[in-house]
Amino acid sequence: MKVSHLVKQAKKGDKEALLQLILADQDAYYRLAYTYMENEHDAMDAMEDMIVTVYEKIDQLQKGEAFYSWSKSILVNRCKTLLRKKNRYLAFGEGEEASHSALTDENPYRDTESEMDMQVLLSHLNKRQREAIELRYVHDLPYQTIADMTGVPLGTIKSRISQGMQKLKAMIGGDRYENDREDLRGV
């Protein structure tokens, strides 16, 4: 069924239509929540909160086609709220242990060495650059959607991604391959 039709049904109180909308993209919701929460339990809590919020506020959604970006924005905000609450209760230094353990948790989305290596590289970026790069390249979201989700101007998102990618390139020695390309072109 078409998204806008299901949204209309959900606005009329059809819980089944809302469930269809969410189940259609449940893996993307989970991956997005896991990116922020770094463990399965907290990611599931954030998703539950997002579903309740979407159910309560679906009548505020203006365009039915925007359901997925709107609901993912709600999910990101729920994750950030939960993280703020969680950080209030963590003693200084405990957060680092949690982020390192997230890399070794048994989780179908985090079980390859290359993903773990990428997480280690991303951990060297500042929080805002890491968020923008993960949303763009891990979750394949368009720049404008990222800007809408995070409440940051589009140019700032592009700048964060560009600067973060430059840092990653420098960390892995990206410039060393420039000479190889020149040799292949005969320059």
Side-chain angles (χ1 to χ4, degrees):
M1 278 192 151
K2 194 172 180 181
V3 172
S4 57
H5 177 71
L6 287 172
V7 169
K8 285 180 186 176
Q9 296 298 103
K11 283 183 174 185
K12 293 177 183 176
D14 186 350
K15 294 177 186 173
E16 199 59 39
L18 183 61
L19 184 64
Q20 284 181 15
L21 286 164
I22 291 170
L23 289 177
D25 212 16
Q26 70 182 353
D27 288 342
Y29 286 121
Y30 177 78
R31 286 191 310 272
L32 181 59
Y34 191 91
T35 296
Y36 282 91
M37 305 308 292
E38 297 181 339
N39 74 59
E40 184 176 356
H41 178 73
D42 290 343
M44 296 303 284
D45 284 348
M47 285 178 58
E48 288 174 15
D49 286 355
M50 181 266 310
I51 292 168
V52 170
T53 303
V54 166
Y55 177 73
E56 292 172 346
K57 298 184 184 257
I58 191 144
D59 57 330
Q60 296 176 8
L61 178 62
Q62 301 292 321
K63 296 180 183 175
E65 311 84 48
F67 175 80
Y68 289 109
S69 62
W70 175 74
S71 59
K72 287 176 182 175
S73 295
I74 291 172
L75 180 59
V76 167
N77 289 331
R78 292 306 308 149
C79 288
K80 289 180 177 181
T81 299
L82 290 171
L83 286 170
R84 276 193 300 273
K85 287 179 183 178
K86 186 177 177 181
N87 285 338
R88 287 184 196 152
Y89 301 108
L90 285 179
F92 182 75
E94 285 182 33
E96 286 182 33
E97 293 171 20
S99 67
H100 291 298
S101 68
L103 296 175
T104 58
D105 285 345
E106 287 300 317
N107 183 300
Y109 298 111
R110 302 279 183 183
D111 61 355
T112 65
E113 283 185 37
S114 63
E115 286 182 20
M116 290 186 334
D117 291 342
M118 183 54 71
Q119 288 301 318
V120 170
L121 285 172
L122 289 173
S123 72
H124 289 68
L125 300 177
N126 72 44
K127 182 174 74 171
R128 293 180 175 133
Q129 290 170 339
R130 182 174 55 247
E131 175 186 38
I133 287 173
E134 285 185 351
L135 291 174
R136 177 70 182 120
Y137 296 108
V138 175
H139 299 287
D140 201 29
L141 297 174
Y143 292 112
Q144 187 60 55
T145 301
I146 297 168
D148 294 342
M149 289 172 65
T150 57
V152 175
L154 179 63
T156 303
I157 292 299
K158 289 180 177 181
S159 176
R160 287 177 183 172
I161 291 172
S162 176
Q163 290 171 1
M165 294 301 284
Q166 287 174 353
K167 286 181 185 176
L168 289 173
K169 185 177 176 182
M171 283 191 294
I172 61 172
D175 290 333
R176 70 176 177 214
Y177 298 111
E178 293 297 322
N179 292 335
D180 294 342
R181 287 189 210 137
E182 290 174 5
D183 290 343
L184 290 173
R185 288 184 285 201
V187 175

